[in-house]
Amino acid sequence: MNYSYISQLYCPKCSNTFSHQQKNQLCSCGSPLLVEYDLEELGKVLSKQALTGRVPSLWRYHELLPVCDEKNVVTLGEGMTPLLSMPVMGADMNIPNLLMKDEGIIPTGTFKARGAAVGVSKAKELGITELAMPTNGNAGAAWSLYAARGGIQSTIVMPIDAPKITRNESAISGSNLYLVDGLISDAGKIVSQTVQEFGLFDASTLKEPYRIEGKKTMGLEIAEQLEWKLPDVILYPTGGGVGIIGIFKALTELKKLGWVEGNLPRLVAVQAEGCAPIVRAWEEGKSESEFWYDSETAAFGINVPKAIGDFLVLDAIYQTNGCAVAIEDDVLLEEQKKLASLEGAFVCPEGAATFAAARRLREQGWIKDNEVVVALNTGMGIKYPDTISVDVPVLEKGEAILK
Ligand SMILES: Cc1ncc(COP(=O)(O)O)c(C=O)c1O
Ligand SMILES: [Zn+2]
């Protein structure tokens, strides 16, 4: 039995194919590449029941991941995050079957660990010794730390306004870290120049094909944790869109394997009102988005004005009869407070946006009675201490508290 059943890479736009044994970036037509597996062979040798008892990390799905030799796996124990029921929040928004997939409980505190673990592992397998990437913060933090673990040098460029903690995580890992007074798109331009000049591997979102595979494991886990009965709706905070593309890919592969039945969950791309290119494209029935000028939101990870894989995100929404929703910053920050006070869950602003979207879609009747709804919390709230402002009384020593 093989460790991985990867067969090749393919271009979803022009159908060109590529070897996974070589370093690949975008297709010559400019599209991201996707990974294909020999699902027929895999289906003959592996059953979903055989997963029981495996290591509680995303590597339990190694046959459906691109790393061919186990010795190249770079891991900090990522994956198999909790799928929690949210009864009080659920009652509050009239969604009795509300669940949270909590990606705060993972190394580096965000789901970016998944893409980094698989991306860095495959980079190691391909003999890459130095990589570079632009980031809104969390991905850079995760890739810096996993690169350090894998013995790979990283160069990271992030906006000066990115959450400070992510800057520190990158710096302490020994990454070559740079800040830019601009957006992730500005960081991306600098990285493009740098990789050309110095011949580094470009690990930008979707310019390397393997981080989708890491993020795909969120979909595999949701299916397994629900005993292979798919939920009705999955809401995902969408920036570059890798997570939602990955979840769609995972569920499609499970369907082909015959491990799940019925309709795929309706996938909801949740964006911030101050940066909603996918929502606008979806509302207009388009298959690609337009650059969103002067974007701004407290949910920093989803401040992506134009995603290179936008057509794949929109395809995932259309194919699952999903939708796209934009949430105002004050509304998502209010939801973040509610989650902490009603459920004890201190989620990141991006994660809070998915709950706000669920509430709105329920009010509008788009989410129906008794549907099983999974909201993705993509990171822990404590990575964003500055989104919370509190007024706390200060006592003199010995002073009594007056109620
Ligand atoms: C916490 C958080 N949530 C969501 C996202 C968006 O991720 P994706 O590229 O999968 O859309 C990011 C990206 O930086 C993030 O940091
Ligand atoms: Zn192509």
Side-chain angles (χ1 to χ4, degrees):
M1 203 164 137
N2 299 340
Y3 190 70
S4 168
Y5 281 78
I6 185 171
S7 55
Q8 61 179 3
L9 303 178
Y10 69 97
C11 171
K13 260 200 178 145
C14 75
S15 306
N16 234 331
T17 58
F18 300 83
S19 164
H20 68 88
Q21 281 150 342
Q22 280 152 13
K23 294 174 202 168
N24 284 291
Q25 306 250 236
L26 295 175
C27 179
S28 49
C29 78
S31 165
L33 300 178
L34 297 178
V35 179
E36 196 166 83
Y37 296 85
D38 189 346
L39 296 176
E40 209 170 303
E41 275 310 304
L42 171 54
K44 286 184 203 157
V45 293
L46 185 70
S47 69
K48 59 188 179 191
Q49 290 78 12
L51 296 171
T52 315
R54 282 194 176 182
V55 56
S57 82
L58 60 78
W59 297 101
R60 67 197 279 110
Y61 307 112
H62 59 81
E63 288 91 344
L64 281 167
L65 293 172
V67 179
C68 298
D69 189 336
E70 191 175 3
K71 78 173 186 321
N72 293 319
V73 166
V74 178
T75 180
L76 293 164
E78 56 288 331
M80 267 296 160
T81 55
L83 184 63
L84 294 172
S85 76
M86 305 294 272
V88 186
M89 251 335 242
D92 192 62
M93 59 173 84
N94 193 19
I95 303 180
N97 298 311
L98 179 66
L99 301 164
M100 171 170 73
K101 178 72 173 159
D102 192 4
E103 293 289 299
I105 316 292
I106 200 166
T108 79
T110 76
F111 76 118
K112 299 284 181 181
R114 295 179 187 265
V118 174
V120 167
S121 298
K122 191 66 186 179
K124 187 174 165 197
E125 187 154 271
L126 291 168
I128 290 162
T129 55
E130 214 171 334
L131 56 82
M133 63 187 289
T135 173
N136 265 341
N138 287 323
W143 278 74
S144 304
L145 288 156
Y146 278 88
R149 176 110 166 139
I152 293 175
Q153 180 61 50
S154 61
T155 296
I156 306 287
V157 187
M158 66 172 70
I160 208 157
D161 293 330
K164 272 238 179 67
I165 183 100
T166 62
R167 183 194 293 187
N168 296 346
E169 287 174 278
S170 277
I172 201 167
S173 73
S175 170
N176 302 317
L177 174 67
Y178 299 91
L179 303 177
V180 56
D181 191 4
L183 295 175
I184 188 170
S185 39
D186 301 297
K189 285 181 201 143
I190 296 172
V191 167
S192 290
Q193 278 170 3
T194 314
V195 294
Q196 274 174 24
E197 210 165 309
F198 300 104
L200 307 181
F201 184 72
D202 190 343
S204 305
T205 303
L206 295 175
K207 285 195 186 166
E208 71 81 46
Y210 301 107
R211 74 161 89 176
I212 290 187
E213 297 304 302
K215 294 194 181 181
K216 160 180 111 172
T217 57
M218 290 186 285
L220 301 177
E221 287 177 20
I222 290 170
E224 190 182 357
Q225 288 170 317
L226 290 174
E227 291 169 356
W228 309 103
K229 284 188 208 80
L230 295 178
D232 297 295
V233 175
I234 299 178
L235 302 109
Y236 183 82
T238 305
V242 186
I244 196 166
I245 300 167
I247 290 171
F248 179 61
K249 187 169 187 286
L251 300 177
T252 309
E253 287 171 0
L254 291 179
K255 196 97 208 236
K256 283 189 189 149
L257 280 168
W259 290 6
V260 293
E261 288 170 4
N263 291 338
L264 292 189
R266 308 196 304 283
L267 297 181
V268 180
V270 181
Q271 297 205 293
E273 197 200 21
C275 184
I278 301 285
V279 178
R280 185 180 283 167
W282 177 76
E283 281 169 355
E284 294 171 354
K286 296 208 170 121
S287 55
E288 284 185 22
S289 66
E290 304 271 334
F291 193 95
W292 188 280
Y293 288 95
D294 303 319
S295 60
E296 206 178 353
T297 168
F300 208 78
I302 53 175
N303 190 347
V304 180
K306 165 80 181 162
I308 190 170
D310 55 357
F311 69 100
L312 295 169
V313 176
L314 286 156
D315 185 50
I317 299 173
Y318 293 131
Q319 283 209 44
T320 60
N321 294 316
C323 69
V325 182
I327 302 294
E328 305 74 19
D329 272 10
D330 56 339
V331 173
L332 68 90
L333 292 174
E334 205 42 53
E335 206 72 53
Q336 189 188 29
K337 270 193 217 155
K338 265 205 164 147
L339 278 155
S341 60
L342 295 183
E343 296 280 12
F346 186 9
V347 306
C348 64
E350 296 84 349
T354 63
F355 286 89
R359 185 185 295 281
R360 191 163 295 170
L361 291 172
R362 179 69 184 123
E363 279 162 12
Q364 293 169 353
W366 191 89
I367 291 176
K368 305 196 182 60
D369 291 350
N370 297 315
E371 285 196 315
V372 177
V373 175
V374 176
L376 245 304
N377 171 39
T378 40
M380 56 167 61
I382 55 177
K383 288 199 83 171
Y384 298 71
D386 300 336
T387 50
I388 320 293
S389 61
V390 284
D391 204 5
V392 186
V394 180
L395 302 175
E396 295 295 327
K397 284 182 198 164
E399 192 181 333
I401 295 172
L402 301 174
K403 285 227 171 180

